Amino acid sequence: MTQATRDRLHFALASFAAAMLALYISLAIGLPKPYWAVITVYIVSHPIAGAVRSKAIYRLLGTGLGAAASVVLVPHLVNAPDLLSLALALWVGACLAVAVLDRSPRSYIMMLAGYTAAIIGFPGVLQPAAIFDVALARAQEIGLGIVCATLVHSLWFPRPVGTVVRARLDAWLTEADQWALDLLRGGSAETLERDRSRLAGAASEIRQLATHLPYDTSRLRETTAVVQALQERLLRLIPLLASLSDRLTALRALRGAPDAETAAALAEVADWVASPGMDPQPLLQRLRQQAACVDRRDWTGLHRLSLLSRLLDLIEALDASRQLLAHLHAPERALPSPLAEVVARAKERPLHRDPGLAWRSGGAATLSILICCALWILGGWSAGDGAAVLAAVLCCLFATMDDPAPAMRAFGISLLLAVPLAAVYLFVLLPRVHDFVPLALVLAPTLVGLGMLMVSPQHALLSLSVNINFINSLALQDRLTWTFADFLNVNLAPFVGLLVALSVTRGLRSMGVETSARRLLRQTWDALARLAEGRGEREPLAFASRMTDRLGLLAPKLAASKDPALAGVSILSELRAGMDLVALRGLRARLSARNDSTLEPLLQALAAHYRARADRPRGPDAEADLLPLLDRTIYRLGTNPAETNAREVSALLGLRRSLFPDTPVPMTAQEVRA
């Protein structure tokens, strides 16, 4: 048996044990719907113990908020079913919109608050006087499932999230070192593309995993601020490495090959990257001395200064990352005081947000629920509340996808598999079972088998859906009273809810790969325009966080797109441009203090350029007068050491490379002024 198989079996057995514990306690204390506790166990379960605990906290909060909403709404509106349906639908839609805006694991709270109100509220319409008892019972059942899942996964050979995060950080920094070495030693274009694609995706994964650290049992939980500080260094490294690659390309275009002094500097930096224990200070001092002696009077000198600036930034960022990672492995070792201050200021950075997508998701959920309620109320269908409930659940569960329709269809397949399986259990196997132990043994093959598939990425969605639908269709209680007609009537409702949610989602919410990519690009260009105008993110790391998150979202979409207009788009180029604009803010403030407006026309032109791209993504790549204005500003500011430092020169050249990568630079002052 392989290690992967053992891990899957371990997770499946732990989840099954938690589910049976929840079912036993629910039956023993007489909860009305014990199967809700079992469903909750499988929804909360995760191979990493810290993720189980964080999901447990979020689910408890969301369940409590949703139960409170149903208790408030149902008694006051029960005599007006149309208004009650509208109120519950709007609640679900609003909660879902907030959850989609958040995009962190905490969004689970609002998502649960939305569809928990639907789960409790719609069936409660038939028993308005008992709505408080129903809400309390659902909260107890869900809470019991959460507690059982948390206990079992925390005590049964737990896999701490801290261990996983540390391993991911180790691997990430190793790959960052490899990208740097490939750049400095002239790796192939295919190798460099592979390096940066891996880093962007891994950065998003680490950020998501790290949100579970406060709930971990490992000692890494106490170093959450150190992990956040290390994440900040990682956010710097991606644009730094991309910018370094661009500077090397530009210098080779000017000279054919770096001069002997620059080549020696590249070799020294490569040797330092390959030797993690080497002190960086002597190398930093030599590079600073080289940068101070660079002749800025021509474009080659400016590009060489820019390259040295990026090498200095890279060494400092890598060195800080290595020290922070070493501290994670040995927390008893004190950090140097500058890094200790960085850790003290570290905080969670923002992610990309899409308000339009959030409100479209909420609107699709609201409309789906209202259509199901109309079929239920106007048709006098006794089990119609189940359709409204499932429509709410489906719209919430798959709202983060570009096109939720395929996932909803997969859920429909899971229904087709789960309902017949539940019928076999209900009418063939379970009538022969009269005690809890035989019941657990009969359920074990199905639940353990599905639990093993839940750990597999390619089977996770279908297996979890089959599992949940199987348990829900089974409706385990202290005694079986269903007739086959009741079973069919109740299990018809989910199919109706599925069809309605699928139809509305495809009409209002689904978008293709190209549409999603263009939407993200427009938001990126709008952010760059606001940054040039001085209205964007005030912190470089906040901007880098959002842009890196967009990079992780955009990379697979651009790779899958067949639209020729998107073929040449590089989000890394936009990320570099954004970081360059952030770097120019200090220069802008310094020049403004001296009433020097040299930089202002360029920033306004850049804002207009990115605003035009956001409004007309298929339009011309740049305005005709932007390039000469940019060149004049570089010549005016970049060639004067009293005006600009190396990082600001690098920012100005970086903007030119981002906007006009294939346009040759003017070689004389006369060409610049022309």
Side-chain angles (χ1 to χ4, degrees):
M1 184 184 296
T2 65
Q3 183 61 45
T5 303
R6 284 195 293 271
D7 290 342
R8 288 196 292 268
L9 181 59
H10 167 264
F11 170 77
L13 290 174
S15 300
F16 178 72
M20 292 302 99
L21 177 62
L23 179 61
Y24 181 82
I25 296 174
S26 298
L27 292 170
I29 63 178
L31 292 177
K33 293 187 176 181
Y35 58 92
W36 271 105
V38 181
I39 290 174
T40 301
V41 166
Y42 280 101
I43 291 176
V44 172
S45 291
H46 192 282
I48 299 173
V52 176
R53 282 186 287 276
S54 67
K55 286 177 70 176
I57 297 296
Y58 299 150
R59 188 170 178 84
L60 280 172
L61 292 173
T63 299
L65 187 57
S70 64
V71 169
V72 170
L73 292 175
V74 172
H76 290 88
L77 298 174
V78 70
N79 294 321
D82 50 349
L83 290 179
L84 176 58
S85 299
L86 178 61
L88 285 172
L90 289 173
W91 170 263
V92 174
C95 289
L96 178 57
V98 174
V100 173
L101 268 180
D102 189 344
R103 292 194 58 245
S104 76
R106 288 186 302 273
S107 63
Y108 204 49
I109 296 174
M110 295 308 297
M111 185 184 295
L112 260 293
Y115 70 71
T116 297
I119 289 171
I120 296 172
F122 286 121
V125 171
L126 302 177
Q127 302 173 296
I131 187 62
F132 181 80
D133 294 333
V134 172
L136 181 62
R138 288 302 85 74
Q140 288 174 326
E141 291 151 3
I142 292 171
L144 179 60
I146 290 170
V147 170
C148 291
T150 304
L151 282 175
V152 173
H153 283 285
S154 298
L155 299 176
W156 186 335
F157 304 107
R159 187 185 180 194
V161 68
T163 304
V164 178
V165 169
R166 189 161 49 204
R168 293 285 197 278
L169 289 169
D170 280 335
W172 199 98
L173 200 52
T174 299
E175 291 184 353
D177 287 345
Q178 188 58 53
W179 186 6
L181 287 172
D182 289 338
L183 281 172
L184 296 167
R185 293 174 176 171
S188 66
E190 294 78 10
T191 300
L192 297 177
E193 179 63 32
R194 180 204 63 207
D195 291 340
R196 66 190 180 199
S197 297
R198 277 204 306 245
L199 283 183
S204 297
E205 180 190 4
I206 290 169
R207 180 166 40 213
Q208 294 294 325
L209 281 171
T211 59
H212 301 299
L213 266 181
Y215 308 93
D216 199 24
T217 54
S218 71
R219 64 177 183 172
L220 195 59
R221 178 185 59 183
E222 308 302 327
T223 58
T224 300
V226 179
V227 174
Q228 289 175 339
L230 184 51
Q231 284 180 272
E232 292 178 354
R233 305 282 82 70
L234 303 187
L235 289 173
R236 290 182 187 271
L237 278 169
I238 292 177
L240 267 177
L241 287 165
S243 182
L244 178 61
S245 175
D246 179 75
R247 298 306 180 273
L248 287 167
T249 301
L251 201 58
R252 291 187 183 109
L254 284 170
R255 298 184 59 95
D259 60 87
E261 192 176 9
T262 303
L266 293 173
E268 279 193 275
V269 175
D271 291 340
W272 178 83
V273 172
S275 307
M278 187 184 296
D279 183 8
Q281 292 308 316
L283 178 57
L284 288 170
Q285 186 175 358
R286 287 194 296 274
L287 292 176
R288 290 187 185 112
Q289 289 172 350
Q290 287 187 36
C293 297
V294 169
D295 184 355
R296 295 190 181 192
R297 288 177 297 179
D298 60 22
W299 288 88
T300 301
L302 291 174
H303 278 84
R304 185 164 176 266
L305 179 64
S306 177
L307 175 64
L308 290 170
S309 172
R310 288 298 180 246
L311 289 174
L312 286 165
D313 291 341
L314 173 65
I315 294 169
E316 290 173 350
L318 276 178
D319 183 55
S321 300
R322 289 170 175 177
Q323 291 189 59
L324 289 167
L325 188 58
H327 183 71
L328 289 182
H329 284 284
E332 66 278 1
R333 293 168 51 185
L335 284 168
S337 54
L339 278 182
E341 293 176 7
V342 169
V343 170
R345 296 193 305 268
K347 60 183 179 181
E348 188 175 344
R349 299 295 174 180
L351 300 175
H352 163 71
R353 289 185 174 183
D354 189 339
L357 184 65
W359 292 116
R360 283 173 63 184
S361 299
T366 300
L367 183 58
S368 299
I369 294 169
L370 289 176
I371 292 173
C372 289
C373 288
L375 295 174
W376 170 31
I377 296 170
L378 299 178
W381 181 17
S382 61
D385 60 300
V389 168
L390 190 73
V393 171
L394 288 179
C395 289
C396 289
L397 288 181
F398 305 126
T400 58
M401 299 178 177
D402 287 337
D403 185 5
M408 289 184 177
R409 285 194 293 269
F411 193 90
I413 294 173
S414 75
L415 272 173
L416 292 173
L417 296 173
V419 171
L421 181 61
V424 172
Y425 267 83
L426 273 173
F427 301 107
V428 177
L429 299 177
L430 293 188
R432 305 172 185 274
V433 174
H434 303 289
D435 202 358
F436 184 80
V437 173
L439 173 64
L441 292 175
V442 168
L443 292 173
T446 298
L447 295 184
V448 172
L450 290 171
M452 291 184 68
L453 291 174
M454 283 169 56
V455 188
S456 170
Q458 58 266 47
H459 302 117
L461 176 60
L462 182 61
S463 56
L464 177 61
S465 300
V466 171
N467 208 346
I468 292 173
N469 285 318
F470 168 69
I471 297 167
N472 187 58
S473 299
L474 210 55
L476 290 170
Q477 300 180 59
D478 57 351
R479 57 177 56 86
L480 301 177
T481 59
W482 278 20
T483 65
F484 190 69
D486 292 333
F487 177 82
L488 289 179
N489 185 37
V490 168
N491 283 286
L492 174 64
F495 287 98
V496 174
L498 169 68
L499 290 174
V500 171
L502 181 59
S503 301
V504 173
T505 297
R506 291 183 66 180
L508 294 183
R509 170 63 181 76
S510 294
M511 64 178 72
V513 171
E514 286 82 5
T515 302
S516 178
R518 284 194 292 270
R519 185 181 185 87
L520 282 167
L521 285 171
R522 282 195 296 270
Q523 291 164 343
T524 299
W525 292 325
D526 181 69
L528 291 172
R530 287 185 285 107
L531 198 60
E533 293 165 348
R535 300 189 295 112
E537 300 282 2
R538 294 190 175 273
E539 295 184 80
L541 287 173
F543 178 82
S545 177
R546 290 193 196 277
M547 288 292 287
T548 305
D549 189 33
R550 286 194 190 105
L551 173 63
L553 294 172
L554 257 173
K557 303 180 196 301
L558 293 176
S561 172
K562 296 180 173 59
D563 188 344
L566 298 175
V569 172
S570 171
I571 189 63
L572 267 177
S573 175
E574 315 298 354
L575 174 58
R576 295 199 319 266
M579 298 305 290
D580 291 333
L581 285 169
V582 170
L584 291 179
R585 279 188 165 180
L587 176 60
R588 178 192 213 172
R590 196 165 66 248
L591 294 176
S592 298
R594 301 205 307 263
N595 295 318
D596 186 340
S597 60
T598 305
L599 188 61
E600 194 61 32
L602 174 62
L603 292 174
Q604 293 302 319
L606 287 168
H609 162 72
Y610 285 115
R611 189 72 66 197
R613 293 195 75 182
D615 294 339
R616 302 193 315 274
R618 293 176 182 270
D621 188 57
E623 289 73 16
D625 59 347
L626 179 56
L627 177 58
L629 175 59
L630 183 52
D631 284 344
R632 286 194 298 271
T633 307
I634 293 172
Y635 184 81
R636 162 69 179 81
L637 296 174
T639 57
N640 188 350
E643 296 278 5
T644 52
N645 58 39
R647 184 171 285 118
E648 291 160 350
V649 171
S650 185
L652 287 166
L653 288 174
L655 285 168
R656 192 187 197 283
R657 290 286 305 166
S658 296
L659 293 169
F660 309 100
D662 301 320
T663 305
V665 297
M667 300 309 295
T668 66
Q670 287 74 23
E671 290 181 53
V672 173
R673 296 191 184 102

